[in-house]
Amino acid sequence: MGTFIQLVVDGLSTGSIYAALALAIVLVNQATGLINFAQGGMAVLSAYIAYSFVRLGLPVLLGILAAVVVSFFIGAVVERFLIRRFERGDPDTAIVVTIGLLTLLTGVCAWIWSYDNRPFPSLFPLTSVDMFGVVVSVRSVGTTLAIIAIMVVLQLLFFGTKLGLALRAVAVNPASAAFSGLPVGRLLMVGWGLAAALGAIAGSLVAPQLSLTPGMLDTPLVYALAAVILGGLSSPIGAVVAAWAIGVLESLVAVYVPFIGHDLKIAVPFILIFVILVVRPQGLFGRKVVVRV
């Protein structure tokens, strides 16, 4: 029983990494209607910016906050001068652009900071506590609580504020939003800026656990996309719950299903995606789109 509980705790810790990235993907989708495959690269770039501020002498918290501000402007600039040129066209083209942006950002990070592993300081103590025979990392607990706080803030933003309502209106139908007097271009810039700022927080929370490298979030991005599809593109809560479920499931399967083990556990989220898309295409927490004619 102790082993089972330990695996669940470890899975929740790993799932929090996926959840951090999944929340940023949900934010971009709710604000622009796009799935941003470059979100992992933007989060890594933001983490490197925070790392640079810390190296210059800022405390870790202030370094992360400074990176959040810088990342907001980077996200807004990327939307204004790159993404906007493709937002009115074929959605598939915009998705390809975000994949190209991911490759570009990875190359830029490698060019500036190299591919060497760099230790990123943690916001939380690097200690562990023993609770009823289960070893729990204080850093993992802190990261999980931070993810929960971000999830609540996003849920309140989208479903409890005028800004969130305006962002969702622009994402669903930019033309109708413009006729209603909403500043569509400015809202899209704000949406990308907020997503980049959230990416800075996610990257800074994850970097101490994974070690900072240009490709740090390549694999977690796959799991995050799976969590977004499972949880529903319109639901921050769904994305986090799905990310935790994936983390726990792959942790349990790797140990209790011998023919899968650690080598094939990456197949777990894809099997879940297939099953969910067949049974419930809008995701576990997503809303079914109804078109009036």
Side-chain angles (χ1 to χ4, degrees), residues 120-128 137-139 208-209:
F120 192 96
S122 174
L123 268 177
F124 307 103
L126 302 177
T127 56
S128 299
S137 164
V138 175
R139 182 176 61 188
Q209 301 185 50

Side-chain angles (χ1 to χ4, degrees), residues 35-112:
I35 295 179
N36 182 15
F37 287 90
Q39 190 61 53
M42 296 175 72
V44 171
L45 175 62
S46 300
Y48 270 114
I49 293 172
Y51 169 82
S52 298
F53 279 124
V54 173
R55 293 276 293 177
L56 289 174
L58 283 181
V60 179
L61 180 59
L62 289 182
I64 293 174
L65 292 177
V68 167
V69 175
V70 174
S71 299
F72 178 89
F73 286 104
I74 291 176
V77 168
V78 166
E79 191 284 329
R80 177 62 183 84
F81 294 101
L82 177 64
I83 302 298
R84 188 171 298 185
R85 299 175 183 275
F86 304 96
E87 284 173 338
R88 299 288 187 272
D90 188 345
D92 294 339
T93 303
I95 289 175
V96 172
V97 171
T98 64
I99 295 174
L101 182 60
L102 170 63
T103 306
L104 174 64
L105 291 174
T106 302
V108 168
C109 291
W111 178 55
I112 298 176

Side-chain angles (χ1 to χ4, degrees), residues 138-185:
V138 175
R139 182 176 61 188
S140 297
V141 173
T143 301
T144 302
L145 293 177
I147 296 301
I148 292 174
I150 294 171
M151 176 188 70
V152 172
V153 169
L154 284 185
Q155 196 74 17
L156 292 175
L157 170 67
F158 285 124
F159 300 100
T161 66
K162 291 183 179 179
L163 175 61
L165 179 62
L167 289 171
R168 288 192 292 135
V170 170
V172 172
N173 195 327
S176 296
F179 281 128
S180 301
L182 293 175
V184 174

Side-chain angles (χ1 to χ4, degrees), residues 210-262:
L210 300 181
S211 186
L212 187 57
T213 63
M216 175 181 72
L217 292 178
D218 288 352
T219 301
L221 179 63
V222 175
Y223 287 100
L225 289 169
V228 169
I229 294 173
L230 287 175
L233 279 167
S234 61
S235 174
I237 294 177
V240 172
V241 172
W244 284 340
I246 289 173
V248 171
L249 189 59
E250 73 166 346
S251 177
L252 294 176
V253 164
V255 174
Y256 290 112
V257 184
F259 74 92
I260 291 181
H262 291 277

